[in-house]
Amino acid sequence: MHDQTLPIAVLASGRGSNLQALIRARQAGKLPVRPVLVASDRADAPALRHATEAGIPVLHLAPGDFPTRRDYDLALFDRVAASGAELLVLAGFMRILDAAAVSPWRGRMINVHPSLLPKYRGLHTHRRVLEAGDAEHGASVHFVTPELDGGPIIAQARIAVQSDDTEQSLAARLLPLEHRLLVAVTDLIARGRLRLDAQTILLDESALERPLQLDRDGQLSP
Ligand code: GAR
């Protein structure tokens, strides 16, 4: 029988809760993907343990074993390509990527980021939202380009910021939405409904005018 699932690789540096969300959705029969590799820059990343427990091949590559960032990224992405992955998901991979490694994956690599991009690229997004006094916060999933957190935005999830919020409370409230957002976007790509065409994101072959929004039911809508 022809396997209809999309082979994916996941890069993760830490806890791996977004990876677990993908694994659970797949195990529940709700996500037509086949994880072929989980790779990390950190040997002690819990994400690697989650992957092993789920029977997914794992790879740890230590940046310190390579002379430059570019050498590391090219070696890592070679291994990803060799895994047969057709989609690469960055799920808490906390490294800046070299353009030479990223470019061949244009339209085939997505990242989940804890802010309403284009606001707050980079680190400490929850803290920066509080410092700015924003009324709203959220998470984005975007196609990865060489510009850090700068690629075309596919979908977002939003939360209201409350007066007593802390970095920790914001992170805790946002995380379950990140999980749903990442699973929902991965699902659209795996089913062949969403793709990047030059600068335009196409959903069911129509240009997306603005990022999809995650609703209360965990569905994406325009
Ligand atoms: C997530 O909050 C993700 O959005 C963030 O790291 C966390 C990883 O959690 N990613 C970034 O900040 C990337 N710029 P996880 O390991 O439990 O999935």
Side-chain angles (χ1 to χ4, degrees):
M1 199 180 81
H2 181 60
D3 189 343
Q4 297 287 338
T5 56
L6 181 74
I8 67 167
V10 179
L11 303 188
S13 297
R15 181 177 54 186
S17 71
N18 278 285
L19 168 68
Q20 281 182 298
L22 293 169
I23 292 171
R24 285 203 198 99
R26 172 205 149 77
Q27 287 172 343
K30 293 178 181 161
L31 184 63
V33 301
R34 180 167 25 103
V36 291
L37 181 69
V38 171
S40 184
D41 54 326
R42 298 191 50 137
D44 59 353
L48 292 179
R49 193 164 29 86
H50 301 321
T52 300
E53 285 167 8
I56 303 166
V58 297
L59 168 70
H60 164 240
L61 271 193
D65 290 345
F66 295 82
T68 67
R69 180 194 301 278
R70 174 169 293 196
D71 290 315
Y72 176 79
D73 290 354
L74 290 174
L76 178 61
F77 280 57
D78 272 356
R79 298 286 291 269
V80 170
S83 76
E86 291 173 22
L87 176 71
L88 178 49
V89 179
L90 306 187
F93 191 63
M94 303 306 282
R95 288 177 55 83
I96 293 173
L97 293 168
D98 189 276
V102 170
S103 295
W105 285 85
R106 186 180 170 79
R108 299 187 297 144
M109 175 162 36
I110 59 174
N111 177 44
V112 56
H113 181 77
S115 82
L116 291 173
L117 292 170
K119 287 183 117 176
Y120 312 120
R121 298 174 182 186
L123 298 176
H124 309 303
T125 57
H126 311 306
R127 185 188 312 168
R128 289 155 69 198
V129 161
L130 291 173
E131 284 169 358
D134 291 357
E136 194 179 43
H137 186 30
S140 306
V141 173
H142 63 94
F143 282 110
V144 177
T145 61
E147 190 184 353
L148 178 67
D149 299 328
I153 303 163
I154 304 166
Q156 294 181 316
R158 292 165 187 275
I159 58 172
V161 179
Q162 289 154 12
S163 55
D164 59 350
D165 262 323
T166 61
E167 284 184 58
Q168 290 71 26
S169 68
L170 281 179
R173 215 154 65 246
L174 194 56
L175 193 63
L177 299 186
E178 283 190 35
H179 297 162
R180 281 183 222 146
L181 190 68
L182 183 61
V183 168
V185 170
T186 304
D187 186 64
L188 285 178
I189 295 172
R191 292 179 196 277
R193 295 186 52 197
L194 186 130
R195 65 189 175 88
L196 184 64
D197 180 31
Q199 289 301 319
T200 309
I201 296 170
L202 297 178
L203 174 64
D204 297 329
E205 295 307 310
S206 294
L208 209 60
E209 303 287 340
R210 64 192 77 82
L212 297 166
Q213 301 295 315
L214 191 76
D215 66 23
R216 285 172 185 278
D217 301 327
Q219 305 295 320
L220 291 176
S221 48

